[in-house]
Amino acid sequence: ERVNPATAPEALSRVSELCDRFVGFVQRADSLNSSAREAAVTRYRDEHLQDERMRSMLAHIFGEATAGTLMNNVLFPPELVDDVCA
């Protein structure tokens, strides 16, 4: 959604709040023990693999089989969990 110049200050404030929340999430994640971090990354991967909008878009462009390959092996490979949690 485009921001109307009249509401730009409010939009900037909301984006700043989102950025602050994201930084807080990252800081808390860094303090998680390894099993909690692995569980969180696994949930992240699993949720993205179930994202019907992304799969539909990729299937429309590349076909269903290639969309599955891209989702499972390129965008969100199983190694993602190991790489992030190492």
Side-chain angles (χ1 to χ4, degrees):
E1 182 177 330
R2 294 184 185 263
V3 175
N4 180 322
T7 61
E10 179 186 348
L12 178 61
S13 176
R14 295 194 66 200
V15 169
S16 293
E17 288 173 22
L18 287 172
C19 290
D20 290 343
R21 288 182 62 200
F22 179 77
V23 168
F25 291 145
V26 171
Q27 289 170 334
R28 282 191 299 281
D30 194 42
S31 67
L32 293 175
N33 64 45
S34 61
S35 61
R37 184 179 296 127
E38 184 173 337
V41 173
T42 298
R43 275 194 316 275
Y44 171 85
R45 179 180 181 269
D46 291 347
E47 287 175 13
H48 277 287
L49 288 174
Q50 299 304 315
D51 185 345
E52 180 56 37
R53 292 173 301 178
M54 181 181 290
R55 183 177 289 281
S56 295
M57 177 191 70
L58 292 173
H60 179 74
I61 297 168
F62 301 108
E64 185 59 41
T66 302
T69 299
L70 287 170
M71 295 278 293
N72 288 297
N73 298 321
V74 177
L75 297 173
F76 306 103
E79 299 82 16
L80 176 71
V81 177
D82 295 334
D83 292 345
V84 172
C85 296

Coordinates of all heavy atoms in Angstrom, one line a residue:
E1 N 0.8 -1.2 0.0 CA 0.0 0.0 0.0 C 0.9 1.2 0.0 O 1.8 1.3 0.8 CB -0.9 0.0 1.2 CG -1.8 1.1 1.3 CD -2.7 1.0 2.5 OE1 -3.0 -0.1 2.9 OE2 -3.1 2.1 3.0
R2 N 0.6 2.2 -0.9 CA 1.3 3.4 -0.9 C 0.9 4.4 0.2 O -0.2 4.4 0.6 CB 1.1 4.1 -2.3 CG 1.7 3.3 -3.4 CD 1.5 4.1 -4.7 NE 2.0 3.2 -5.8 CZ 3.2 3.3 -6.3 NH1 4.1 4.1 -5.8 NH2 3.5 2.5 -7.3
V3 N 1.8 5.1 0.7 CA 1.6 6.1 1.7 C 1.3 7.4 1.1 O 2.0 7.9 0.3 CB 2.8 6.2 2.7 CG1 2.6 7.3 3.7 CG2 3.1 4.8 3.3
N4 N 0.2 8.0 1.6 CA -0.2 9.3 1.3 C 0.7 10.3 2.0 O 1.0 10.1 3.2 CB -1.7 9.6 1.7 CG -2.2 10.9 1.4 OD1 -1.5 11.9 1.5 ND2 -3.5 11.0 1.0
P5 N 1.3 11.3 1.3 CA 2.2 12.2 1.9 C 1.6 12.9 3.2 O 2.4 13.1 4.1 CB 2.4 13.3 0.9 CG 2.2 12.6 -0.4 CD 1.1 11.6 -0.2
A6 N 0.3 13.0 3.3 CA -0.3 13.6 4.5 C -0.2 12.7 5.7 O -0.1 13.2 6.8 CB -1.7 14.0 4.2
T7 N -0.1 11.4 5.4 CA 0.0 10.4 6.5 C 1.4 9.8 6.7 O 1.6 8.9 7.4 CB -1.0 9.3 6.4 OG1 -0.8 8.6 5.1 CG2 -2.5 9.8 6.4
A8 N 2.4 10.4 6.0 CA 3.7 9.9 6.0 C 4.3 9.8 7.4 O 4.9 8.8 7.8 CB 4.6 10.7 5.1
P9 N 4.2 10.9 8.2 CA 4.7 10.8 9.6 C 4.2 9.6 10.4 O 4.9 8.9 11.1 CB 4.4 12.1 10.2 CG 4.2 13.1 9.0 CD 3.6 12.2 8.0
E10 N 2.9 9.4 10.3 CA 2.3 8.3 11.0 C 2.8 6.9 10.5 O 3.1 6.0 11.2 CB 0.8 8.3 10.9 CG 0.1 7.1 11.6 CD -1.4 7.1 11.4 OE1 -2.0 8.1 10.9 OE2 -2.0 6.1 11.7
A11 N 2.9 6.8 9.2 CA 3.4 5.6 8.5 C 4.9 5.4 9.0 O 5.2 4.2 9.3 CB 3.3 5.7 7.0
L12 N 5.7 6.4 9.0 CA 7.1 6.3 9.4 C 7.1 5.8 10.9 O 7.9 4.9 11.2 CB 7.8 7.6 9.3 CG 9.3 7.6 9.7 CD1 10.1 6.6 9.0 CD2 9.9 9.0 9.6
S13 N 6.3 6.3 11.7 CA 6.2 5.9 13.1 C 5.9 4.4 13.2 O 6.5 3.7 14.0 CB 5.2 6.8 13.9 OG 5.1 6.3 15.2
R14 N 4.9 4.0 12.4 CA 4.5 2.6 12.5 C 5.6 1.7 12.0 O 5.9 0.6 12.6 CB 3.2 2.3 11.7 CG 2.1 3.1 12.4 CD 0.7 2.7 11.9 NE 0.5 1.4 12.3 CZ -0.5 0.6 11.7 NH1 -1.2 1.1 10.8 NH2 -0.7 -0.6 12.1
V15 N 6.3 2.1 10.9 CA 7.4 1.3 10.4 C 8.6 1.2 11.4 O 9.2 0.2 11.7 CB 7.9 1.9 9.0 CG1 9.3 1.2 8.6 CG2 6.9 1.7 8.0
S16 N 8.8 2.3 12.1 CA 9.9 2.3 13.1 C 9.5 1.4 14.3 O 10.4 0.7 14.8 CB 10.0 3.8 13.7 OG 10.6 4.6 12.7
E17 N 8.2 1.4 14.7 CA 7.8 0.5 15.7 C 8.0 -1.0 15.3 O 8.4 -1.8 16.1 CB 6.3 0.7 16.0 CG 6.0 2.0 16.8 CD 4.5 2.2 16.9 OE1 3.7 1.3 16.8 OE2 4.2 3.4 17.1
L18 N 7.6 -1.3 14.0 CA 7.8 -2.7 13.5 C 9.3 -3.0 13.5 O 9.7 -4.2 13.9 CB 7.3 -2.8 12.1 CG 5.8 -2.8 12.0 CD1 5.3 -2.8 10.5 CD2 5.2 -4.1 12.6
C19 N 10.2 -2.1 13.1 CA 11.6 -2.4 13.1 C 12.1 -2.6 14.6 O 12.9 -3.6 14.8 CB 12.4 -1.2 12.5 SG 12.1 -1.1 10.7
D20 N 11.6 -1.8 15.5 CA 12.0 -2.0 16.9 C 11.6 -3.4 17.4 O 12.3 -4.1 18.1 CB 11.4 -0.9 17.8 CG 12.1 0.4 17.6 OD1 13.2 0.4 17.0 OD2 11.5 1.4 18.0
R21 N 10.3 -3.8 17.1 CA 9.8 -5.1 17.5 C 10.7 -6.2 16.9 O 11.0 -7.2 17.5 CB 8.4 -5.3 17.1 CG 7.4 -4.4 17.9 CD 6.0 -4.6 17.6 NE 5.6 -6.0 17.8 CZ 4.5 -6.6 17.2 NH1 3.8 -5.9 16.4 NH2 4.2 -7.8 17.5
F22 N 11.0 -6.1 15.6 CA 11.9 -7.1 14.9 C 13.2 -7.2 15.6 O 13.7 -8.3 15.9 CB 12.0 -6.7 13.4 CG 12.9 -7.7 12.7 CD1 12.3 -8.9 12.3 CD2 14.2 -7.4 12.4 CE1 13.1 -9.9 11.6 CE2 15.0 -8.4 11.7 CZ 14.4 -9.6 11.3
V23 N 13.8 -6.1 15.9 CA 15.1 -6.2 16.6 C 15.0 -6.9 17.9 O 15.8 -7.7 18.3 CB 15.7 -4.7 16.8 CG1 16.9 -4.7 17.7 CG2 16.1 -4.2 15.4
G24 N 13.9 -6.6 18.6 CA 13.6 -7.3 19.9 C 13.5 -8.8 19.7 O 14.0 -9.6 20.5
F25 N 12.8 -9.2 18.7 CA 12.7 -10.6 18.4 C 14.0 -11.3 18.2 O 14.3 -12.3 18.7 CB 11.8 -10.9 17.2 CG 10.3 -10.6 17.4 CD1 9.6 -10.1 16.3 CD2 9.7 -10.8 18.6 CE1 8.2 -9.8 16.5 CE2 8.4 -10.5 18.8 CZ 7.6 -10.0 17.7
V26 N 14.9 -10.6 17.4 CA 16.2 -11.1 17.1 C 17.0 -11.2 18.3 O 17.7 -12.2 18.6 CB 16.9 -10.2 16.0 CG1 18.4 -10.6 15.8 CG2 16.2 -10.3 14.7
Q27 N 17.0 -10.2 19.2 CA 17.7 -10.2 20.4 C 17.3 -11.3 21.3 O 18.1 -12.0 21.9 CB 17.6 -8.9 21.1 CG 18.4 -7.8 20.4 CD 18.1 -6.4 21.0 OE1 17.0 -6.1 21.6 NE2 19.0 -5.5 20.8
R28 N 16.0 -11.6 21.4 CA 15.5 -12.6 22.3 C 15.8 -14.0 21.7 O 16.2 -14.9 22.4 CB 14.0 -12.5 22.4 CG 13.6 -11.5 23.5 CD 12.1 -11.6 23.9 NE 11.2 -11.3 22.8 CZ 10.9 -10.1 22.3 NH1 11.4 -9.1 22.7 NH2 10.0 -10.1 21.3
A29 N 15.8 -14.1 20.3 CA 16.1 -15.4 19.7 C 17.6 -15.7 19.9 O 17.9 -16.9 20.1 CB 15.8 -15.3 18.2
D30 N 18.4 -14.7 20.0 CA 19.9 -15.0 20.2 C 20.1 -15.5 21.6 O 21.1 -16.2 21.8 CB 20.6 -13.7 20.0 CG 22.1 -13.9 19.8 OD1 22.5 -14.9 19.2 OD2 22.9 -13.1 20.4
S31 N 19.2 -15.2 22.5 CA 19.4 -15.7 23.9 C 18.7 -17.1 24.1 O 18.8 -17.6 25.2 CB 18.9 -14.7 24.9 OG 17.5 -14.6 24.8
L32 N 18.0 -17.6 23.1 CA 17.4 -18.9 23.3 C 18.4 -20.1 23.4 O 19.5 -20.0 22.8 CB 16.5 -19.2 22.1 CG 15.3 -18.4 21.9 CD1 14.6 -18.7 20.6 CD2 14.3 -18.5 23.0
N33 N 18.1 -21.1 24.1 CA 18.9 -22.3 24.1 C 18.8 -22.9 22.7 O 17.9 -22.7 21.9 CB 18.6 -23.2 25.2 CG 17.2 -23.8 25.1 OD1 16.8 -24.3 24.1 ND2 16.5 -23.8 26.3
S34 N 19.7 -23.8 22.4 CA 19.8 -24.4 21.1 C 18.5 -25.2 20.7 O 18.1 -25.1 19.5 CB 21.0 -25.3 20.9 OG 21.0 -26.4 21.8
S35 N 17.9 -25.9 21.6 CA 16.7 -26.6 21.2 C 15.5 -25.7 20.9 O 14.7 -26.0 20.0 CB 16.4 -27.7 22.3 OG 16.1 -27.1 23.5
A36 N 15.4 -24.6 21.7 CA 14.4 -23.7 21.5 C 14.6 -22.9 20.1 O 13.6 -22.7 19.4 CB 14.3 -22.6 22.6
R37 N 15.8 -22.6 19.8 CA 16.1 -22.0 18.6 C 15.8 -22.9 17.4 O 15.2 -22.5 16.4 CB 17.6 -21.5 18.5 CG 18.0 -20.8 17.3 CD 19.4 -20.3 17.2 NE 19.7 -19.4 18.3 CZ 20.7 -19.5 19.1 NH1 21.5 -20.5 19.0 NH2 20.9 -18.6 20.1
E38 N 16.2 -24.2 17.5 CA 15.9 -25.1 16.5 C 14.4 -25.3 16.3 O 14.0 -25.3 15.1 CB 16.6 -26.5 16.8 CG 16.4 -27.5 15.7 CD 17.2 -28.8 15.9 OE1 18.2 -28.7 16.7 OE2 16.8 -29.8 15.3
A39 N 13.7 -25.3 17.3 CA 12.2 -25.5 17.2 C 11.6 -24.2 16.5 O 10.7 -24.4 15.7 CB 11.6 -25.6 18.6
A40 N 12.1 -23.0 16.8 CA 11.6 -21.8 16.2 C 11.9 -21.8 14.7 O 11.1 -21.4 13.9 CB 12.2 -20.6 16.9
V41 N 13.1 -22.2 14.4 CA 13.5 -22.2 12.9 C 12.7 -23.2 12.2 O 12.3 -23.0 11.0 CB 15.0 -22.3 12.8 CG1 15.4 -22.5 11.3 CG2 15.8 -21.2 13.4
T42 N 12.5 -24.4 12.8 CA 11.7 -25.4 12.1 C 10.3 -24.9 11.9 O 9.7 -25.2 10.8 CB 11.7 -26.7 13.0 OG1 13.1 -27.2 13.1 CG2 10.9 -27.8 12.4
R43 N 9.7 -24.3 12.9 CA 8.3 -23.7 12.7 C 8.3 -22.7 11.6 O 7.4 -22.7 10.8 CB 7.9 -23.0 14.0 CG 7.2 -24.0 15.0 CD 6.5 -23.2 16.1 NE 7.2 -22.1 16.6 CZ 8.1 -22.1 17.6 NH1 8.3 -23.3 18.2 NH2 8.6 -21.0 18.1
Y44 N 9.3 -21.8 11.5 CA 9.4 -20.8 10.5 C 9.5 -21.5 9.1 O 8.7 -21.1 8.2 CB 10.7 -20.0 10.7 CG 11.1 -19.1 9.6 CD1 10.5 -17.8 9.5 CD2 12.0 -19.5 8.6 CE1 10.8 -16.9 8.4 CE2 12.3 -18.6 7.5 CZ 11.7 -17.4 7.5 OH 12.1 -16.5 6.4
R45 N 10.3 -22.5 9.0 CA 10.5 -23.2 7.7 C 9.1 -23.9 7.3 O 8.6 -23.8 6.2 CB 11.6 -24.3 7.8 CG 11.7 -25.1 6.5 CD 12.9 -26.1 6.6 NE 13.0 -26.8 5.4 CZ 12.3 -27.9 5.1 NH1 11.5 -28.5 6.0 NH2 12.5 -28.5 3.9
D46 N 8.6 -24.6 8.3 CA 7.3 -25.3 8.0 C 6.2 -24.4 7.6 O 5.4 -24.7 6.7 CB 6.9 -26.2 9.2 CG 7.8 -27.3 9.5 OD1 8.6 -27.7 8.6 OD2 7.7 -27.9 10.6
E47 N 6.1 -23.2 8.3 CA 5.0 -22.3 7.9 C 5.2 -21.8 6.5 O 4.3 -21.6 5.8 CB 5.0 -21.2 9.0 CG 4.4 -21.6 10.3 CD 4.5 -20.6 11.4 OE1 4.7 -19.4 11.1 OE2 4.2 -20.9 12.5
H48 N 6.5 -21.5 6.1 CA 6.7 -21.0 4.8 C 6.4 -22.1 3.7 O 5.9 -21.8 2.7 CB 8.1 -20.5 4.6 CG 8.2 -19.0 5.1 ND1 7.7 -18.0 4.5 CD2 8.8 -18.5 6.3 CE1 7.9 -16.9 5.1 NE2 8.6 -17.2 6.2
L49 N 6.7 -23.3 4.1 CA 6.4 -24.4 3.1 C 4.9 -24.6 2.9 O 4.5 -25.1 1.9 CB 7.1 -25.7 3.6 CG 8.6 -25.8 3.5 CD1 9.1 -27.0 4.1 CD2 9.0 -25.7 2.0
Q50 N 4.1 -24.1 3.9 CA 2.7 -24.2 3.8 C 2.0 -23.0 3.2 O 0.8 -22.9 3.0 CB 2.1 -24.5 5.2 CG 2.5 -25.8 5.8 CD 2.3 -27.0 4.9 OE1 1.2 -27.1 4.3 NE2 3.2 -27.9 4.7
D51 N 2.9 -22.0 2.8 CA 2.3 -20.7 2.3 C 1.8 -20.9 0.9 O 2.5 -21.0 -0.1 CB 3.5 -19.7 2.3 CG 3.0 -18.3 1.9 OD1 1.8 -18.2 1.3 OD2 3.7 -17.3 2.1
E52 N 0.5 -21.1 0.9 CA -0.2 -21.4 -0.4 C 0.0 -20.3 -1.4 O 0.1 -20.5 -2.6 CB -1.7 -21.6 -0.1 CG -2.5 -21.9 -1.3 CD -2.0 -23.1 -2.1 OE1 -1.5 -24.1 -1.5 OE2 -2.0 -23.1 -3.4
R53 N 0.0 -19.0 -1.0 CA 0.2 -17.9 -2.0 C 1.5 -18.0 -2.7 O 1.6 -17.8 -3.9 CB 0.0 -16.6 -1.3 CG -1.4 -16.3 -0.8 CD -1.5 -15.1 0.0 NE -0.6 -15.2 1.2 CZ -0.3 -14.3 2.1 NH1 -0.9 -13.1 2.0 NH2 0.5 -14.5 3.1
M54 N 2.6 -18.3 -1.9 CA 3.9 -18.4 -2.6 C 3.9 -19.6 -3.5 O 4.4 -19.5 -4.6 CB 5.0 -18.5 -1.5 CG 6.4 -18.6 -2.1 SD 7.7 -18.8 -1.0 CE 7.7 -17.2 -0.2
R55 N 3.4 -20.8 -3.0 CA 3.4 -22.0 -3.8 C 2.6 -21.7 -5.1 O 3.0 -22.1 -6.2 CB 2.9 -23.2 -3.1 CG 3.0 -24.5 -3.9 CD 2.5 -25.7 -3.1 NE 3.4 -26.1 -2.1 CZ 4.5 -26.8 -2.2 NH1 4.9 -27.1 -3.4 NH2 5.3 -27.1 -1.2
S56 N 1.4 -21.1 -5.0 CA 0.6 -20.9 -6.1 C 1.3 -20.0 -7.1 O 1.2 -20.2 -8.4 CB -0.7 -20.2 -5.7 OG -1.5 -21.1 -4.9
M57 N 2.0 -18.9 -6.6 CA 2.7 -18.0 -7.5 C 3.8 -18.8 -8.3 O 3.9 -18.7 -9.5 CB 3.3 -16.8 -6.8 CG 4.1 -15.9 -7.6 SD 5.0 -14.7 -6.7 CE 6.3 -15.7 -6.0
L58 N 4.6 -19.5 -7.5 CA 5.7 -20.3 -8.2 C 5.1 -21.3 -9.1 O 5.7 -21.5 -10.2 CB 6.5 -20.9 -7.1 CG 7.4 -20.0 -6.2 CD1 8.1 -20.7 -5.1 CD2 8.4 -19.2 -7.1
A59 N 4.0 -22.0 -8.8 CA 3.4 -23.0 -9.7 C 2.9 -22.3 -11.0 O 3.0 -22.9 -12.0 CB 2.3 -23.7 -9.0
H60 N 2.4 -21.1 -10.8 CA 1.9 -20.4 -12.0 C 3.1 -20.1 -12.9 O 2.9 -20.2 -14.2 CB 1.2 -19.1 -11.6 CG 0.7 -18.3 -12.7 ND1 -0.4 -18.7 -13.4 CD2 1.1 -17.2 -13.2 CE1 -0.6 -17.8 -14.4 NE2 0.3 -16.8 -14.3
I61 N 4.2 -19.7 -12.4 CA 5.4 -19.3 -13.2 C 6.1 -20.6 -13.7 O 6.5 -20.6 -14.9 CB 6.3 -18.5 -12.4 CG1 5.6 -17.1 -12.0 CG2 7.6 -18.2 -13.1 CD1 6.3 -16.3 -10.9
F62 N 6.4 -21.6 -12.8 CA 7.3 -22.6 -13.2 C 6.6 -24.0 -13.3 O 7.2 -25.0 -13.7 CB 8.4 -22.8 -12.1 CG 9.2 -21.5 -12.0 CD1 9.0 -20.7 -10.8 CD2 10.1 -21.2 -12.9 CE1 9.8 -19.6 -10.7 CE2 10.9 -20.0 -12.8 CZ 10.7 -19.2 -11.7
G63 N 5.3 -24.1 -12.9 CA 4.7 -25.4 -12.8 C 4.7 -26.0 -11.4 O 5.6 -25.7 -10.6
E64 N 3.8 -26.9 -11.1 CA 3.7 -27.4 -9.7 C 4.9 -28.2 -9.2 O 5.3 -28.0 -8.1 CB 2.4 -28.3 -9.6 CG 2.1 -28.8 -8.2 CD 1.9 -27.6 -7.2 OE1 1.2 -26.6 -7.5 OE2 2.4 -27.7 -6.1
A65 N 5.4 -29.0 -10.1 CA 6.6 -29.8 -9.6 C 7.8 -29.0 -9.3 O 8.4 -29.1 -8.3 CB 6.9 -30.9 -10.7
T66 N 8.0 -28.0 -10.2 CA 9.2 -27.1 -10.0 C 8.9 -26.2 -8.8 O 9.9 -25.9 -8.0 CB 9.5 -26.3 -11.2 OG1 9.7 -27.2 -12.3 CG2 10.7 -25.4 -11.1
A67 N 7.7 -25.8 -8.6 CA 7.4 -25.0 -7.4 C 7.7 -25.7 -6.1 O 8.3 -25.2 -5.2 CB 5.9 -24.6 -7.4
G68 N 7.3 -27.0 -6.1 CA 7.7 -27.8 -4.9 C 9.1 -27.9 -4.7 O 9.6 -27.8 -3.6
T69 N 9.9 -28.2 -5.8 CA 11.3 -28.3 -5.7 C 11.9 -27.0 -5.2 O 12.8 -27.0 -4.3 CB 11.9 -28.7 -7.0 OG1 11.4 -29.9 -7.4 CG2 13.4 -28.7 -7.0
L70 N 11.5 -25.8 -5.7 CA 12.0 -24.5 -5.3 C 11.7 -24.3 -3.8 O 12.6 -23.9 -3.1 CB 11.4 -23.4 -6.1 CG 11.9 -23.3 -7.6 CD1 11.0 -22.3 -8.4 CD2 13.4 -22.9 -7.6
M71 N 10.5 -24.6 -3.4 CA 10.1 -24.3 -2.0 C 10.9 -25.2 -1.1 O 11.5 -24.7 -0.1 CB 8.6 -24.6 -1.8 CG 7.7 -23.7 -2.5 SD 7.4 -22.1 -1.8 CE 6.5 -22.6 -0.3
N72 N 11.1 -26.5 -1.4 CA 11.7 -27.5 -0.5 C 13.2 -27.5 -0.5 O 13.8 -27.9 0.4 CB 11.1 -28.9 -0.7 CG 9.7 -29.0 -0.3 OD1 9.4 -28.9 0.9 ND2 8.8 -29.2 -1.2
N73 N 13.8 -27.2 -1.7 CA 15.2 -27.4 -1.8 C 16.0 -26.1 -2.0 O 17.2 -26.1 -1.8 CB 15.5 -28.3 -3.0 CG 14.9 -29.7 -2.8 OD1 14.9 -30.2 -1.7 ND2 14.3 -30.2 -3.8
V74 N 15.3 -25.0 -2.4 CA 16.1 -23.8 -2.7 C 15.7 -22.7 -1.6 O 16.6 -22.2 -1.0 CB 15.8 -23.3 -4.1 CG1 16.5 -21.9 -4.4 CG2 16.2 -24.3 -5.1
L75 N 14.4 -22.4 -1.5 CA 14.0 -21.3 -0.7 C 14.1 -21.7 0.8 O 14.5 -20.9 1.7 CB 12.6 -20.8 -1.0 CG 12.5 -20.2 -2.4 CD1 11.0 -19.9 -2.7 CD2 13.3 -18.9 -2.5
F76 N 13.6 -22.9 1.1 CA 13.5 -23.3 2.5 C 14.0 -24.8 2.6 O 13.3 -25.7 3.0 CB 12.1 -23.2 3.0 CG 11.5 -21.8 2.9 CD1 10.6 -21.6 1.8 CD2 11.9 -20.8 3.7 CE1 10.1 -20.3 1.6 CE2 11.4 -19.5 3.5 CZ 10.5 -19.3 2.5
P77 N 15.3 -25.0 2.4 CA 15.8 -26.3 2.4 C 15.9 -26.9 3.8 O 16.0 -26.1 4.8 CB 17.2 -26.2 1.8 CG 17.6 -24.8 2.1 CD 16.3 -24.0 2.0
P78 N 15.9 -28.2 4.0 CA 16.1 -28.8 5.3 C 17.3 -28.3 6.0 O 17.3 -28.1 7.2 CB 16.2 -30.3 5.1 CG 15.6 -30.5 3.7 CD 15.8 -29.2 2.9
E79 N 18.4 -28.0 5.3 CA 19.6 -27.5 5.9 C 19.5 -26.1 6.5 O 20.4 -25.7 7.3 CB 20.8 -27.4 4.8 CG 21.1 -28.8 4.2 CD 20.1 -29.2 3.0 OE1 19.4 -28.3 2.5 OE2 20.1 -30.3 2.7
L80 N 18.4 -25.4 6.2 CA 18.2 -24.1 6.8 C 18.3 -24.2 8.3 O 18.9 -23.3 8.9 CB 16.8 -23.6 6.3 CG 16.4 -22.2 6.9 CD1 17.3 -21.1 6.4 CD2 14.9 -22.0 6.7
V81 N 17.6 -25.2 8.9 CA 17.6 -25.3 10.3 C 19.0 -25.5 10.8 O 19.4 -24.8 11.8 CB 16.7 -26.5 10.7 CG1 16.7 -26.7 12.2 CG2 15.3 -26.3 10.3
D82 N 19.8 -26.4 10.2 CA 21.2 -26.6 10.7 C 22.0 -25.4 10.5 O 22.8 -25.0 11.4 CB 21.8 -27.8 9.9 CG 21.1 -29.1 10.2 OD1 20.5 -29.3 11.3 OD2 21.1 -30.0 9.3
D83 N 21.9 -24.7 9.4 CA 22.7 -23.5 9.1 C 22.4 -22.4 10.1 O 23.3 -21.8 10.6 CB 22.5 -23.0 7.7 CG 23.0 -24.0 6.6 OD1 23.8 -24.9 7.0 OD2 22.6 -23.8 5.4
V84 N 21.1 -22.2 10.4 CA 20.8 -21.1 11.3 C 21.1 -21.4 12.7 O 21.5 -20.6 13.5 CB 19.3 -20.8 11.1 CG1 18.8 -19.8 12.2 CG2 19.0 -20.2 9.8
C85 N 21.0 -22.7 13.1 CA 21.2 -23.1 14.5 C 22.7 -23.5 14.8 O 23.0 -23.8 15.9 CB 20.3 -24.2 14.8 SG 18.5 -23.7 14.7
A86 N 23.5 -23.5 13.8 CA 24.9 -23.9 14.0 C 25.7 -22.9 14.9 O 25.4 -21.7 14.9 CB 25.6 -24.1 12.7

